[in-house]
Amino acid sequence: MRELFLGIRLLLGGGRGNRVRFLLMVIGSAIGVCCLAVVLAIPGVLAAQDGRKAAREPDCVADPVAMTCPASEGDSFELTRTDPYGAEPLTRVFLARGDRPIEPPPGLTELPAPGELFVSPRLREVLQREPALAQLLPGRESGLITTQGLAHPDELYAYVGVSPEELEGGGDRVTMFGKPFASSPTVEPSTLDMVRFTLAGVVLLPLAVFLAVCARLSAAARARRLAALRLLGLSVKGTQRVNAAETVTAALSGAVLGLGIYWVANQLVSRIGLPGLKWYPSDGALSVSTVVACVVGCPVLAWFVGRAGARKAAARPLAVRRSAVEKAPGKWGLLMLVPGLSIVAAYCVAGATGHPPRDTALSSILMPLAVVLVGIGLVMMLPVFSRALAQKVARSTGSVSLGLAMRRNEVEPGGALRVATGLVILVFAASLVQGVLIELDQVSKNTSPVQTYRISLAGTTAERQRAWEGVEGVRGHAVVMESRSSSDVDRWAPSLEAVVATCEQLRRMVPKVDGCVDGRPMRLWDPKQVQAEDSKPGTRFAFDLWHEGHRRVMHVKMPREVLRYSDDVELSVFNSGDVLLPPSAVPAEHRPDVATLTLLSSSAPETVRAVLDGIGGVDPTTEVDTPGVVVTALQQITVVRSLLGIGMVLGLIIGVAAYLVAATDRAVERKPQVTALSLLGARPRTLRTVQVAQVVVPLAVGLALAVITGKLAESSYLVTGGGAIYWDGAGVPLLLACALGAVAVAAIGALPLVGRRIDPELIRRD
């Protein structure tokens, strides 16, 4: 403990410069701990939202023997519909209250009666802004859903009270609310693993470097002071403890300050929200384990870094006091860089040769490992690369300024790189984010100019069908009937889909039709699609029809006449090999047993919204299939984009903070050398050139390596992701622009190191 108190006394009595350095260490640690708390709080926010989702899931107590929900008189029924509202899900839960009382779902005090409507606060605002949406929500508003029943404040959710007759047998029996897991989590576990991997590379890796930089501020000055203590008789371990006392005190103070900053940021940002991601302030509250990890982890890291920083002063105090030439940096980074690059290169070669890996479980382990190895190896090898480059340039250059700069980097290769490391890691991590965004773009990108809607006609009336066909925004419609399927499980029978439409209706559904004749059955054929071998000309198929409770079988023979058409959209409206039947071929007043009404509209978001509102206005409980639009997936992608945006902002904050802290520390540390050169006659312009070259040259090398290794890591990630894009050439200009911007910022930041006033007092002791 004596050494620890000695370190604190030296900290308090070390003068103004020492206190400024301590303040920088505290501020740097606070920023780092705040960023760490944000990353650690993200899983807790998602888990809290999923917990409230699971608590409101309708369920039924199943019979343990039959494993089914037993039917009984007076049970309640529910029907859940989720529709897209833009890129957000709009969830409607239709509840038919029975005679047997059940506990209402979280957020409600009682089940809604027929005609009652309970909505979320955000949905109430949307209804006031868009009255047409009320077609999907029949009934009078009777109250709001409270916080316990909503996943997040911006959720569009509603409970609609209906009678059992209105569900028309389409509901499920419900006896309780609450399940162990949410059926539709905020982020799927596999996607969450991808987010964790990206945040680890974008935030945690730069954060570790940043905290290490903060713990190594004024390394040269502190090393000389520790060497003096060692020469006065302090033991080796005592010297290391004295240095660690200062770093631990700064780290602990910064950790407490950082947690306070996070609390304020959580209160503000949770109320403002992010695109697609909003949470309650209580969801972002840090758990005890997270607080312990921040309060204990940061000082522990500072302790080890502080002990390592004092090792040279404790072992060779005379060499430190006399400013002996430092040893060449070790090449231990190759132990991490080589295996990491080997894994990355192997995946790139596999993608280039057309043999992408199939084992996703192995890739999910190797890819994060490779990224971490490459990132750490890159940081550890930067001093080696900087020293080798400085030696080569110093021997060959004829410029005095560049020669001085390179000789300084050769003697102290890690000095300038402490300033550059944060920016290098930031550019490396930006490549990973680009890869993840490309993979997400492949999933969410919708290039189709049209949108289709499929509605099952089972149990519907002709009046409803005509109403759906006349919804505003629908520009084409057709009925697709399915032939009778075999009831024998041991015998498979081919089936056929028949498109009931006129030639004019067909032309509105597909871009190109050649040779259509009204009133004549024809076989649809698109050369771009795979042809069904079962639907050969002359084959007969049976279709079941109903009229006033009586079944009638209609036989359709596959015609020989072929109708060529072209469907250029990503999701085909019809299948090649189907048969086109004129409406007159179906007996009047007869309804097909199994059929789907297919509607077509523009893919413009406002048109899709209007069509869905119109369909709901005819029957709010109708289930609508929208191929190509999986609203829950779009919502997840939006959340993931927001999380990646948080990661990039945090990475940018860490990178810039690391640069500012290290640059300020280096400015103070280099003043004696700059003053000595000024007294020897060096002009200010020469000194400024030297300072800029000392930072820019190693930084340029580091950024070039970061761009190359980052693009390799990005390509290997895309190869393992299973997408269609492996090589991201479009992202190279952006990375190069970021690298050039980092070089420009570093060059500008190096200029204030040389002032106009010469203070000989700075070198009096030397």
Side-chain angles (χ1 to χ4, degrees):
M1 295 298 294
R2 182 171 58 90
E3 293 86 357
L4 298 179
F5 286 118
L6 177 59
I8 295 175
R9 290 182 62 185
L10 290 175
L11 170 64
L12 298 176
R16 179 182 176 186
N18 205 29
R19 289 191 293 270
V20 170
R21 182 182 72 247
F22 178 77
L23 182 62
L24 285 175
M25 294 171 66
V26 171
I27 294 175
S29 299
I31 295 173
V33 168
C34 181
C35 294
L36 178 61
V38 171
V39 175
L40 296 179
I42 288 175
V45 171
L46 300 179
Q49 294 186 359
D50 291 341
R52 288 191 293 272
K53 285 184 178 181
R56 71 188 183 195
E57 293 275 354
D59 198 4
C60 182
V61 179
D63 188 339
V65 178
M67 298 301 293
T68 58
C69 185
S72 60
E73 292 293 334
D75 282 343
S76 301
F77 290 84
E78 66 84 24
L79 180 66
T80 302
R81 292 284 182 256
T82 301
D83 302 304
Y85 179 80
E88 300 178 72
L90 168 60
T91 304
R92 300 168 296 154
V93 181
F94 296 90
L95 290 173
R97 189 167 64 182
D99 297 331
R100 298 178 59 185
I102 63 173
E103 191 73 20
L108 297 183
T109 57
E110 60 179 356
L111 292 180
E116 290 185 340
L117 175 66
F118 291 87
V119 297
S120 63
R122 168 83 191 290
L123 185 54
R124 170 188 276 184
E125 297 176 2
V126 173
L127 285 171
Q128 293 174 353
R129 189 170 61 249
E130 300 182 27
L133 193 62
Q135 300 177 92
L136 299 175
L137 302 164
R140 66 184 183 279
E141 185 179 322
S142 302
L144 292 176
I145 305 172
T146 61
T147 302
Q148 292 78 10
L150 299 174
H152 54 84
D154 276 354
E155 190 174 22
L156 301 175
Y157 208 86
Y159 290 101
V160 184
V162 295
S163 62
E165 293 76 18
E166 292 181 82
L167 295 181
E168 297 181 352
D172 296 324
R173 198 177 306 273
V174 56
T175 60
M176 59 179 294
F177 289 90
K179 289 184 178 180
F181 303 100
S183 58
S184 179
T186 305
V187 179
E188 292 289 343
S190 59
T191 307
L192 188 58
D193 291 338
M194 177 186 67
V195 173
R196 288 195 184 102
F197 154 67
T198 308
L199 291 180
V202 175
V203 180
L204 297 184
L205 183 59
L207 181 60
V209 175
F210 173 55
L211 293 176
V213 168
C214 292
R216 288 281 292 158
L217 292 181
S218 295
R222 280 195 287 169
R224 291 173 60 84
R225 185 183 62 192
L226 294 172
L229 293 175
R230 178 75 179 96
L231 292 174
L232 290 175
L234 195 63
S235 65
V236 174
K237 291 185 177 180
T239 304
Q240 292 178 334
R241 292 193 191 104
V242 168
N243 187 47
E246 182 177 358
T247 57
V248 169
T249 303
L252 185 60
S253 303
V256 175
L257 179 61
L259 292 177
I261 295 174
Y262 169 80
W263 184 87
V264 175
N266 177 54
Q267 297 295 322
L268 294 176
V269 179
S270 63
R271 288 170 170 79
I272 299 173
L274 299 171
L277 180 61
K278 197 172 183 180
W279 63 95
Y280 295 104
S282 59
D283 295 345
L286 298 178
S287 63
V288 176
S289 59
T290 302
V291 173
V292 171
C294 294
V295 174
V296 176
C298 186
V300 168
L301 176 62
W303 171 269
F304 285 105
V305 173
R307 285 177 60 89
R311 186 177 301 143
K312 180 181 177 181
R316 301 167 57 201
L318 285 176
V320 171
R321 292 297 299 177
R322 295 174 179 176
S323 301
V325 178
E326 295 185 6
K327 289 184 179 180
K331 299 180 180 180
W332 296 104
L334 291 174
L335 296 178
M336 295 187 175
L337 188 61
V338 172
L341 284 178
S342 300
I343 297 173
V344 167
Y347 279 126
C348 292
V349 171
T353 56
H355 298 86
R358 302 296 182 187
D359 190 352
T360 56
L362 180 62
S363 299
S364 64
I365 298 175
L366 288 181
M367 267 310 303
L369 178 63
V371 170
V372 173
L373 290 178
V374 171
I376 297 177
L378 181 62
V379 172
M380 295 179 66
M381 288 302 295
L382 281 179
V384 179
F385 295 142
S386 175
R387 187 173 187 274
L389 177 67
Q391 287 178 335
K392 186 173 182 180
V393 173
R395 286 195 299 264
S396 59
T397 185
S399 170
V400 176
S401 302
L402 188 58
L404 283 174
M406 292 301 99
R407 289 303 182 188
R408 184 65 193 178
N409 283 347
E410 179 183 357
V411 173
E412 190 187 2
L417 287 172
R418 274 190 294 147
V419 181
T421 301
L423 300 176
V424 170
I425 293 298
L426 180 62
V427 173
F428 173 75
S431 290
L432 298 179
V433 176
Q434 280 188 343
V436 176
L437 292 178
I438 289 172
E439 187 173 354
L440 290 175
D441 187 64
Q442 294 183 74
V443 176
S444 62
K445 193 174 184 179
N446 182 18
T447 59
S448 175
V450 297
Q451 177 63 52
T452 58
Y453 314 82
R454 294 173 182 170
I455 305 172
S456 175
L457 294 179
T460 61
T461 62
E463 290 76 13
R464 285 184 183 176
Q465 179 181 335
R466 286 191 291 269
W468 284 326
E469 293 171 354
V471 167
E472 184 179 357
V474 173
R475 71 184 194 191
H477 61 85
V479 175
V480 180
M481 301 191 309
E482 295 185 18
S483 64
R484 179 189 297 175
S485 58
S486 175
S487 59
D488 188 358
V489 295
D490 297 328
R491 180 177 176 272
W492 178 83
S495 61
L496 177 70
E497 289 186 348
V499 180
V500 182
T502 64
C503 292
E504 179 62 25
Q505 289 176 320
L506 187 64
R507 292 189 182 96
R508 292 184 178 183
M509 299 291 287
V510 294
K512 184 178 180 182
V513 179
D514 294 330
C516 183
V517 180
D518 278 320
R520 184 184 303 175
M522 307 182 76
R523 182 185 181 187
L524 297 174
W525 186 66
D526 184 358
K528 296 180 181 179
Q529 297 186 34
V530 178
Q531 308 302 312
E533 298 181 357
D534 298 323
S535 56
K536 296 180 180 179
T539 308
R540 297 175 66 86
F541 297 89
F543 291 83
D544 293 324
L545 305 177
W546 291 89
H547 177 58
E548 296 181 351
H550 299 286
R551 181 192 296 269
R552 176 178 177 178
V553 180
M554 180 183 71
H555 293 279
V556 175
K557 184 170 69 173
M558 177 61 69
R560 296 186 179 275
E561 191 172 1
V562 174
L563 171 61
R564 295 176 179 268
Y565 76 100
S566 176
D567 198 350
D568 294 332
V569 298
E570 293 181 353
L571 300 175
S572 300
V573 180
F574 306 120
N575 297 321
S576 183
D578 294 347
V579 61
L580 174 66
L581 292 180
S584 58
V586 180
E589 304 299 330
H590 282 71
R591 305 286 297 168
D593 185 28
V594 181
T596 302
L597 175 63
T598 301
L599 308 177
L600 188 77
S601 77
S602 167
S603 61
E606 59 274 8
T607 304
V608 175
R609 180 71 265 150
V611 172
L612 290 173
D613 290 345
I615 294 173
V618 177
D619 184 4
T621 63
T622 300
E623 183 175 5
V624 184
D625 181 22
T626 53
V629 178
V630 183
V631 65
T632 54
L634 292 177
Q635 178 72 4
Q636 285 195 33
I637 290 171
T638 305
V639 172
V640 171
R641 288 181 186 273
S642 294
L643 294 178
L644 293 180
I646 293 175
M648 282 303 297
V649 170
L650 293 178
L652 180 61
I653 292 174
I654 293 171
V656 173
Y659 169 75
L660 293 177
V661 171
T664 304
D665 175 63
R666 188 169 180 270
V668 176
E669 197 174 58
R670 290 283 295 140
K671 274 189 175 182
Q673 288 107 4
V674 172
T675 302
L677 291 174
S678 300
L679 291 176
L680 291 175
R683 293 180 300 175
R685 179 182 298 178
T686 302
L687 292 178
R688 291 191 182 95
T689 305
V690 170
Q691 297 301 324
V692 171
Q694 283 182 6
V695 176
V696 167
V697 173
L699 176 60
V701 175
L703 291 177
L705 293 173
V707 171
I708 295 173
T709 56
K711 296 307 292 183
L712 289 175
E714 175 194 0
S715 298
S716 61
Y717 173 79
L718 293 174
V719 169
T720 58
I725 299 177
Y726 290 168
W727 320 109
D728 173 30
V732 175
L734 179 60
L735 276 183
L736 293 178
C738 293
L740 292 176
V743 171
V745 170
I748 295 173
L751 292 177
L753 293 178
V754 180
R756 299 193 176 197
R757 178 173 170 269
I758 299 177
D759 186 7
E761 182 66 20
L762 291 171
I763 60 172
R764 180 180 62 83
R765 296 179 181 178
D766 290 340

